[in-house]
Amino acid sequence: MELFFDDIRLDADALLGGAGQGLRLALETLGRVRLGQVGARAIGKATHVLGLMTDHANERRQFGQPIGNFQLIQQMIADSVMEISAARLMLHRAAWMIDQGLPARDWIAMVKVQASETLGRVVDRAVQVFAGMGYCKDLPIERYYRDARVYRIFDGTSEIHRTTIARSALKHGAALFDVAG
Ligand SMILES: Cc1cc2nc3c(=O)[nH]c(=O)nc-3n(C[C@H](O)[C@H](O)[C@H](O)COP(=O)(O)OP(=O)(O)OC[C@H]3O[C@@H](n4cnc5c(N)ncnc54)[C@H](O)[C@@H]3O)c2cc1C
């Protein structure tokens, strides 16, 4: 749906923020939304899918034992746990910076990329752990797999956020981590 605001006049008390500050306000708001709507949601989905993966690895038996006993299955589970944990800590850090009034743009960009790409890897592993059943529509795994793909596209593609991160790194070098609080 497209909205058009042509020739609309508002009273001065309808001004949000200061005059000429609209773009800054809009970008700040978009950043906060990105953290919750994309970052936290992607991490929540990845966590849910990890739970389905571990339940299945405990229940599904092949060669007389649960598939969770196989080290290659364990690797997929362990990598998912580590990557979700890293994304979750980054999310908390970015949220903390916003609460402190610190500039969080780079951290929000990092969370967006980390969380969305973690979700992609976790659901991909889930399809592998569920194997044939993961590919079929009887279970929601294949839908999670399809849905996860858009997280790397909407609210700024991974490429655009990487550009933001790289620009800051090129400007600040290793001091990036100090600058970022
Ligand atoms: C399901 C869904 C929901 C959406 N919801 C919303 C919404 O609510 N609000 C909204 O505003 N938009 C929304 N979008 C749009 C979304 O934000 C855009 O699709 C996204 O920003 C990419 O723009 P584009 O599709 O035009 O791709 P393009 O800009 O054409 O990009 C194509 C490719 O080129 C790369 N690229 C482009 N520019 C650069 C660059 N400077 N440097 C490096 N690589 C670059 C991109 O990363 C991508 O890989 C939604 C999209 C989808 C699929």
Side-chain angles (χ1 to χ4, degrees):
M1 183 176 69
E2 277 184 286
L3 298 176
F4 296 92
F5 299 96
D6 293 331
D7 301 324
I8 294 180
R9 296 190 66 81
L10 295 172
D11 293 334
D13 64 357
L15 185 69
L16 297 174
Q21 296 296 306
L23 180 63
R24 186 186 57 78
L25 272 176
L27 290 177
E28 272 179 23
T29 306
L30 281 175
R32 286 166 190 237
V33 169
R34 187 166 289 145
L35 206 58
Q37 289 289 323
V38 183
R41 220 164 68 180
I43 292 166
K45 280 191 172 199
T47 306
H48 174 66
V49 170
L50 173 68
L52 298 176
M53 209 195 310
T54 50
D55 286 349
H56 185 70
N58 280 322
E59 286 160 16
R60 173 70 172 163
R61 297 179 72 83
Q62 285 292 38
F63 301 95
Q65 55 187 312
I67 61 169
N69 282 358
F70 303 137
Q71 289 183 343
L72 290 174
I73 298 287
Q74 290 176 2
Q75 179 176 8
M76 288 192 268
I77 291 170
D79 286 350
S80 300
V81 170
M82 289 188 288
E83 289 168 22
I84 292 170
S85 300
R88 190 184 290 268
L89 287 171
M90 288 172 70
L91 174 81
H92 289 175
R93 166 69 181 226
W96 176 83
M97 290 179 75
I98 290 173
D99 281 349
Q100 302 305 309
L102 294 167
R105 194 184 63 157
D106 292 344
W107 275 86
I108 291 169
M110 288 193 277
V111 170
K112 180 7 174 116
V113 174
Q114 188 74 17
S116 59
E117 297 191 358
T118 291
L119 174 61
R121 286 189 294 270
V122 171
V123 290
D124 184 69
R125 291 180 194 126
V127 172
Q128 200 66 19
V129 169
F130 278 81
M133 286 303 291
Y135 186 75
C136 293
K137 291 200 167 176
D138 302 47
L139 294 180
I141 305 296
E142 65 85 31
R143 181 169 59 80
Y144 292 141
Y145 181 78
R146 278 185 286 125
D147 287 351
R149 191 60 185 83
V150 78
Y151 278 73
R152 285 161 56 195
I153 296 172
F154 62 18
D155 223 344
T157 62
S158 286
E159 290 74 32
I160 295 297
H161 288 298
R162 280 194 166 87
T163 303
T164 299
I165 297 161
R167 277 196 190 134
S168 271
L170 288 166
K171 189 171 172 191
H172 300 295
L176 173 74
F177 300 104
D178 306 330
V179 172

